[in-house]
């Protein structure tokens, strides 16, 4: 699926928030849990440490502070938000949805709220949906959260996966603006490759049972080499497609925010695309792969480092389980906004 923003409608990100749990897990500490070394993890992935949620923290506990920060920066009161989507593969529970619980915690009364599942690409799908909702006029102000607590579905004895992932969440507010905003999106999926990154049990194919638990089928299983090949291919093809569709070239890109899974994947994509390293946002060294949290956390870092100037061309590309991928191209506009009155509600 590919498309450009049209009809003179401009929708932009007006607020960004992020939250990562306090607990830092270093590579050296991991080496006391599984047969690995700091050297191997750094050389093969670029990851040095990751954040791990406390046992009593669930997805809403990460989403709430990120969402509050994004709303505050946008100057949007929670009850002025009419649409909330949380992209995650680790919701508090399958239902009620994390987004509905979050809406209640925020005080976003009567907002439409649902969760979205698209692996690590969830945030990219969610901002495309939120864009379409606001562009169509169905939503006035949308809140999008991307985040995961993969530490709760990882096999901590499997060194091939447990060293890669971390926990975290990011949030953005989408509204109509006068200048800049989203220029286009490209999204896709390849279910034939789905077998390379799975959570086998707990769904309708393999409901939770004593047997699935005994067989440890509630943990993430991944064929790292296959996902690596897929990632290096789609990060490049998806970015090239969205740039071409929007009539822009890679030289125009000021800030490139790829999914933070592995620094080798990021470097490969940047080199193949021709994006200079100083335009690439990298924080996988500090957070590991936070799945749906990866791109909004990197976006928040870029904002905090003053790298998002109004007028800058920002390219984001995600990829992950499904297999899925997605890109967005944005002409950056100023964050923040006038404090807004909550729309009057009846009842
Ligand atoms: O959001 C999407 C999610 N996933 C990804 O993006 C992951 C994509 N894949 C990758 O990033 C890489 O494939 C990995 C980091 C997972 C693995 O790196 P690799 O360079 O492809 O390593 P490999 O799987 O080819 O394994 C090389 C060796 C193996 O040993 P042998 O067979 O050569 O003796 C592994 O057993 O490294 C071994 N190994 C480890 N050694 C120390 C695998 N994991 C570890 C480890 N520490 N943690």
């Amino acid at each position: 699926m590919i498309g450009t923003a049209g009809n003179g409608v401009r929708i932009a990100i007006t607020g960004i928030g992020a939250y990562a749990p306090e607990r830092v897990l270093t590579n050296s500490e991991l080496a006391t849990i599984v047969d690995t070394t700091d050297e191997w993890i750094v050389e093969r992935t670029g990851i040095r440490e990751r954040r791990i949620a406390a046992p009593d923290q669930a997805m809403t506990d990460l989403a709430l502070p990120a969402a509050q920060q994004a709303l505050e920066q946008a100057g949007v009161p929670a009850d002025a938000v009419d649409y909330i989507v949380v992209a995650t593969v680790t919701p508090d529970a399958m239902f009620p949805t994390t987004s509905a619980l979050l809406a209640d915690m925020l005080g976003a009364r009567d907002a439409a709220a649902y969760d979205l599942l698209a692996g690590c690409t969830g945030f990219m799908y969610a901002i495309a949906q939120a864009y379409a909702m606001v562009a169509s006029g169905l939503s006035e102000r949308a809140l999008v959260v991307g985040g995961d607590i993969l530490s709760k579905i990882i096999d901590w004895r499997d060194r091939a996966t447990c060293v890669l992932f971390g926990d975290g969440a990011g949030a953005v507010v989408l509204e109509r603006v006068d200048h800049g905003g989203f220029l286009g999106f490209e999204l896709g999926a390849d279910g034939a490759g789905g077998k390379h990154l799975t959570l086998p049990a707990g769904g309708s194919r393999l409901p939770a049972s004593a047997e699935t638990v005994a067989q440890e089928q509630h943990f993430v299983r991944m064929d790292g080499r296959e996902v690596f090949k897929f990632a290096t291919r789609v990060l490049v093809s998806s970015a090239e497609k969205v740039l071409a569709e929007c009539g822009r070239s890679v030289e125009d890109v000021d800030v490139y925010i790829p999914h933070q899974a592995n620094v080798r994947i990021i470097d490969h994509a940047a080199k193949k695309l021709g994006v200079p390293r100083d335009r690439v946002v990298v924080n996988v060294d500090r957070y590991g792969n936070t799945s749906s949290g990866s791109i909004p956390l990197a976006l928040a870092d870029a904002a905090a480092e003053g790298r998002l100037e109004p007028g800058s061309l920002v390219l984001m590309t995600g990829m992950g389980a499904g297999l899925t991928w997605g890109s967005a191209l944005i002409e950056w506009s100023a964050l923040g906004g006038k404090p807004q009155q909550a729309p009057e509600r009846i009842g």
Side-chain angles (χ1 to χ4, degrees), residues 258-271 280 282 284:
H259 174 46
Q260 308 286 310
N262 183 327
V263 81
R264 284 161 54 214
I265 296 174
I266 295 172
D267 284 344
H268 177 278
K271 198 167 161 209
V280 185
V282 178
V284 68

Side-chain angles (χ1 to χ4, degrees), residues 211-225:
E211 200 182 337
T212 60
V213 172
Q215 290 171 353
E216 297 168 347
Q217 290 179 303
H218 300 268
F219 292 135
V220 172
R221 292 195 182 165
M222 183 176 71
D223 181 335
R225 284 182 204 183

Side-chain angles (χ1 to χ4, degrees), residues 65-267:
Q68 285 169 328
Q69 203 184 331
L71 290 170
E72 195 182 322
Q73 184 171 49
V76 170
D79 62 355
V81 171
D82 55 17
Y83 174 86
I84 298 178
V85 53
V86 177
T88 186
V89 298
T90 49
D92 287 27
M94 278 316 288
F95 51 88
T97 58
T98 295
S99 50
L101 297 172
L102 176 68
D104 182 53
M105 289 168 168
L106 286 168
R109 206 152 56 93
D110 298 339
Y114 64 93
D115 294 354
L116 186 155
L117 231 153
C120 299
T121 321
F123 180 76
M124 300 308 300
Y125 272 73
I127 54 171
Q129 286 193 349
Y131 165 85
M133 286 289 187
V134 179
S136 69
L138 210 51
S139 164
E140 280 270 312
R141 293 177 201 95
L143 172 70
V144 175
V145 179
D148 270 303
I149 305 189
L150 286 188
S151 65
K152 304 229 183 185
I153 57 167
I154 287 296
D155 181 353
W156 287 97
R157 288 159 304 174
D158 176 16
R159 68 177 184 174
T161 51
C162 78
V163 304
L164 303 174
F165 299 103
D167 304 333
V172 294
V173 174
L174 266 65
E175 298 175 89
R176 283 179 181 246
V177 290
D178 295 331
H179 305 287
F182 286 95
L183 300 179
F185 296 91
E186 197 271 332
L187 302 167
D190 170 20
K195 58 182 182 278
H196 299 313
L197 183 48
T198 64
L199 186 69
S204 55
R205 177 73 60 198
L206 213 50
S209 67
E211 200 182 337
T212 60
V213 172
Q215 290 171 353
E216 297 168 347
Q217 290 179 303
H218 300 268
F219 292 135
V220 172
R221 292 195 182 165
M222 183 176 71
D223 181 335
R225 284 182 204 183
E226 285 298 329
V227 179
F228 192 98
K229 279 192 268 177
F230 163 76
T232 48
R233 182 164 47 84
V234 295
L235 281 189
V236 176
S237 60
S238 180
E240 285 177 343
K241 280 182 197 163
V242 78
L243 282 165
E245 188 74 9
C246 296
R248 304 294 178 114
S249 77
V250 80
E251 289 80 40
D252 300 330
V253 175
D254 298 298
V255 183
Y256 173 45
I257 306 180
H259 174 46
Q260 308 286 310
N262 183 327
V263 81
R264 284 161 54 214
I265 296 174
I266 295 172
D267 284 344

